[in-house]
Amino acid sequence: MPYKLDIHYRKQSLVKLLACIQSHEEEIIKAVFADFKKPAFEVVATETSYIEAELKYTIKNMEKWAKPAMVLPSFLNFPSLDFIYKEPYGKVFVIAPWNYPYQLALSPLIAAVAAGNQVVVKPSELTPHTSAVIAKIIRATFDESHVTCIEGGVEETQALLAQRWDYIFFTGSSSVGKIVAQAAAKHLTPVTLELGGKNPCIIDASADLKLAAKRIVWGKFINAGQTCIAPDYLLVAETVKDSLVSLLKAEIQLAFGANPEASPDYGRIVNEKNWRRLVALLENETVLYGGESTIADCYLSPTLLDESQLDSLVMHGEIFGPILPIISYRTEEDLAHYILHYEKPLALYAFTTNTTFAEKIITQYSFGGGCINDTLVQFTNKRLPFGGVGQSGIGAYHGTYSFALFSHHKSIVKKGNWLDIPTRYAPYAGKIKLIKKVMGWFS
């Protein structure tokens, strides 16, 4: 049996990968720091430890996930036994982003291997140090015909996209996601697109403001705001806006000190191009806090903006940086005016102690996933599917959902031979009333 279908080979490959990444953890931490000064704590929390936990969970459960699942057969097929077989797609292409360059390359790789596929991984060229370590780990772990890492830039990605794949997994911007989808469509290749969006964060008058401020500051400014599920803008009840702003300022100082540029716990923008884009968003805006920047270090301080307008540059698209517009609202109609102005976001957050209001927000708006009274943590539960909707993505993964994503679910009916009901066979004369009655019984 070829390795791609042998569950034991797959499992041993992932056991070997686990040992390899554990032995390279310090190298990974240094590489991510070299790329954009991501603090070691954040690398461990959001990259290395996350991947180790996912690997262990997958190794523990993959044999169970791979087994054919028996389902209740249809009485119309009596006698039969019905099953769902999990079959690998074949050759999978994984395109990873730069913002979590290690985690978002390894996570889909683990799932694709567990499901029995051959994999080509393309790390981001914007994080070259991390890309080099990923390539090193893959070479040390896998046979080249099983898993390959191809480094390079846009040209290499375009050349790879021009090839025929059985599945493509892309994490990145919506604009590039459309290019990936167009390339996949030429061969009717199925895709997962993990994209982004303008994620709203609602703070109503009943919220625990101090706790909300702490959790918003953490969720927004981790990784210097370069997180696809970070709060993109705040919608704050007008009556509590001033109090929340004061608390946000205090929490930023508690986290990063009076001068975040000197803080070992605050990262940098990935490159000068993205830094310039973010600094340009501050033009013609009212800065409530922060706004300091240094081009030489690609530094931009945690920044709060006051009452940004819908037609402003900062509110035009996903910010993807440490800039947080704060907008006040009076009514639920005001909320709808802002939220529905944009495409469906990847995440939505609401801080409230009003359970009726929380449930209404969850059911009224379409979004990938989110939290009530916290930010980002929906990503951490492997029992929850993670993915977008509409312009924020196609498909969802994590845990068992990852294995399912990279598997074709093949439906099989195993029919018995000891009984063969003749109703379905021609000639059909005189059988219409009977077939209607039979179909009605089992509808």
Side-chain angles (χ1 to χ4, degrees), residues 304-381:
L304 306 177
L305 302 182
D306 190 35
E307 299 295 345
S308 298
Q309 299 300 305
L310 274 177
D311 59 356
S312 66
L313 192 60
V314 76
M315 294 299 290
H316 180 68
E318 185 180 9
I319 294 170
F320 219 70
I323 300 170
L324 186 59
I326 302 173
I327 300 165
S328 58
Y329 75 90
R330 293 183 180 180
T331 67
E332 291 184 19
E333 287 72 22
D334 293 339
L335 288 177
H337 174 69
Y338 278 98
I339 296 171
L340 298 179
H341 179 78
Y342 301 103
E343 297 285 353
K344 298 173 182 179
L346 182 56
L348 182 148
Y349 306 105
F351 287 84
T352 179
T353 56
N354 183 332
T355 55
T356 301
F357 176 76
E359 196 64 25
K360 187 173 184 180
I361 292 297
I362 292 169
T363 56
Q364 182 173 341
Y365 299 106
S366 181
F367 53 95
C371 304
I372 301 300
N373 295 319
D374 210 340
T375 61
L376 273 59
V377 296
Q378 74 273 22
F379 189 89
T380 65
N381 187 349

Side-chain angles (χ1 to χ4, degrees), residues 4-5 10 86-90 112 115-118 406-408:
K4 70 175 182 177
L5 295 178
R10 304 181 215 169
K86 287 61 171 283
E87 177 182 85
Y89 279 104
N117 299 281
Q118 296 169 281
F406 286 104
S407 304
H408 166 61

Side-chain angles (χ1 to χ4, degrees), residues 95-111:
I95 309 172
W98 55 262
N99 61 323
Y100 290 87
Y102 175 75
Q103 181 219 122
L104 295 177
L106 270 290
S107 183
L109 163 64
I110 292 164

Side-chain angles (χ1 to χ4, degrees), residues 390-435:
Q391 295 290 309
S392 61
I394 299 171
Y397 71 124
H398 285 186
T400 184
Y401 299 99
S402 293
F403 189 95
L405 185 77
F406 286 104
S407 304
H408 166 61
H409 289 203
K410 184 187 289 183
S411 301
I412 300 294
V413 175
K414 296 182 178 180
K415 193 72 181 287
N417 291 333
W418 58 271
L419 178 66
D420 191 35
I421 300 172
T423 308
R424 63 175 168 155
Y425 299 109
Y428 302 127
K431 295 181 179 179
I432 291 179
K433 286 185 178 180
L434 177 59
I435 195 63

